[in-house]
Amino acid sequence: MKKLYIAGNWKMNKNEQETAEYFTQLLLVQDQVQDSIEQIICPPFLYLHSSKKLTQISKIIIGAQNVSDRENGAFTGEISAQMLKDMGITHCIIGHSERRQYFHESNELIGKKYIILKKYGIIPIICIGETLEQRESGHTNNVLREQLEGIFRDKVIQEDEQLLIAYEPVWAIGTGKTATPDMAQEVHSLIRNWLIINYNHSTAERIPLLYGGSVKPDNIQELMNQDDIDGALIGGASLEITSYIKMIELAGEIKKC
Ligand code: PEP
């Protein structure tokens, strides 16, 4: 049975107490979570430590939302891959469109972050996606190819390497507008084909492709039912614990081989 990854990106939300309340609720339903579901929650850096402690006896995966591209040194305010590793963090989002838009992150920089995560054995969740303008001018495919080529320079993905790619159309993030299942499937299939052409079938099949952009309980099943969609990266709807639990429950009803 194929795994379905249900990842929550909290962005800059919640405090210590809300974090504890969230995980207390999530822990209560763990025996009902299907084995096919991988739960990943990415709280802000400050709460990674307490989140790890709260969830240590469960299968809940705690991920970071960002990492520095540098090893260590005079980079005020940055968090290194080594620090994440030290804290037992196994997953990290990179290339989120908010980081590209507000912090001017380029594909080249995201590529460096990918390499440093890889060095420390942290599994990256790499976000790519087009803006509305790029979609409307018919440039979606080229933009995605450029992002993939910019990040994965020189055929860097290894045979047994673990990584996740999240397709997140920028126009669908936090806007309430979702790509239709067909639209999302079309792009996921393009990404899968890019991996086949540049690597091989087994690498392409092995890398989970997540969809992100206004995923919520109402639309998660039709999106997850698409052939090339292996999970969801969810912002707003993952913040509310009842809605996150609903989504892992609904995704758990989907059986993919
Ligand atoms: C995200 O931040 O990755 C995201 C997809 O947000 P939302 O679900 O709120 O659109």
Side-chain angles (χ1 to χ4, degrees):
M1 182 98 70
K2 260 189 155 181
K3 294 257 182 215
L4 270 181
Y5 297 77
I6 308 298
N9 172 15
W10 286 4
K11 313 189 184 189
M12 199 169 68
N13 290 296
K14 295 199 188 289
N15 60 28
E16 184 101 55
Q17 192 187 333
E18 289 163 345
T19 300
E21 283 165 8
Y22 189 97
F23 287 116
T24 306
Q25 300 280 325
L26 191 53
L27 287 167
L28 284 175
V29 300
Q30 287 306 295
D31 10 340
Q32 292 144 50
V33 179
Q34 297 293 315
D35 289 342
S36 57
I37 300 297
E38 289 277 11
Q39 308 157 78
I40 307 174
I41 301 288
C42 303
F45 282 134
L46 274 181
Y47 307 126
L48 288 177
H49 185 61
S50 58
S51 301
K52 271 299 281 182
K53 275 185 115 174
L54 286 161
T55 56
Q56 63 191 354
I57 44 137
S58 74
K59 288 188 302 181
I60 302 164
I61 295 167
I62 302 297
Q65 297 174 18
N66 186 27
V67 67
S68 172
D69 63 311
R70 310 301 176 102
E71 281 280 349
N72 53 38
F75 302 106
T76 304
E78 289 289 87
I79 300 286
S80 71
Q82 193 168 23
M83 291 168 185
L84 294 179
K85 182 81 185 166
D86 194 30
M87 206 165 281
I89 298 301
T90 52
H91 290 65
C92 180
I93 298 173
I94 50 173
H96 192 280
S97 67
E98 285 152 15
R99 298 230 43 104
R100 292 174 187 263
Q101 188 182 346
Y102 305 129
F103 304 96
H104 314 295
E105 293 197 1
S106 63
N107 290 323
E108 194 188 348
L109 179 75
I110 298 158
K112 287 185 183 163
K113 292 184 177 202
Y114 159 61
I115 297 292
I116 203 148
L117 285 176
K118 192 164 140 127
K119 176 172 174 191
Y120 286 94
I122 298 173
I123 301 171
I125 304 171
I126 302 167
C127 304
I128 55 173
E130 82 288 2
T131 62
L132 186 60
E133 198 187 358
Q134 289 163 337
R135 174 162 281 269
E136 286 180 346
S137 58
H139 290 117
T140 301
N141 295 3
N142 284 344
V143 168
L144 290 167
R145 259 187 228 110
E146 236 169 67
Q147 291 178 339
L148 291 165
E149 272 150 29
I151 297 167
F152 302 115
R153 283 159 187 264
D154 309 322
K155 303 259 188 293
V156 279
I157 306 177
Q158 278 140 11
E159 244 341 283
D160 55 351
E161 189 180 326
Q162 286 194 69
L163 69 122
L164 294 90
I165 297 177
Y167 166 57
E168 299 208 303
V170 181
W171 47 271
I173 296 180
T175 57
K177 289 184 198 155
T178 321
T180 63
D182 286 349
M183 270 160 106
Q185 167 56 29
E186 193 182 332
V187 175
H188 279 234
S189 142
L190 174 111
I191 301 168
R192 194 82 77 196
N193 277 325
W194 185 88
L195 289 166
I196 294 173
I197 294 163
N198 288 276
Y199 293 89
N200 52 50
H201 274 274
S202 73
T203 300
E205 282 307 315
R206 203 176 41 72
I207 296 178
L209 304 182
L210 277 50
Y211 168 79
S214 300
V215 175
K216 44 188 183 281
D218 288 355
N219 57 23
I220 193 161
Q221 279 195 326
E222 49 177 5
L223 285 159
M224 296 307 106
N225 263 323
Q226 300 303 308
D227 284 351
D228 288 300
I229 302 188
D230 308 308
L233 180 54
I234 309 157
S238 74
L239 285 173
E240 182 61 51
I241 185 61
T242 48
S243 132
Y244 184 74
I245 290 173
K246 189 76 201 155
M247 290 188 285
I248 51 178
E249 199 180 292
L250 288 165
E253 290 171 8
I254 297 170
K255 306 288 170 226
K256 283 188 172 184
C257 293

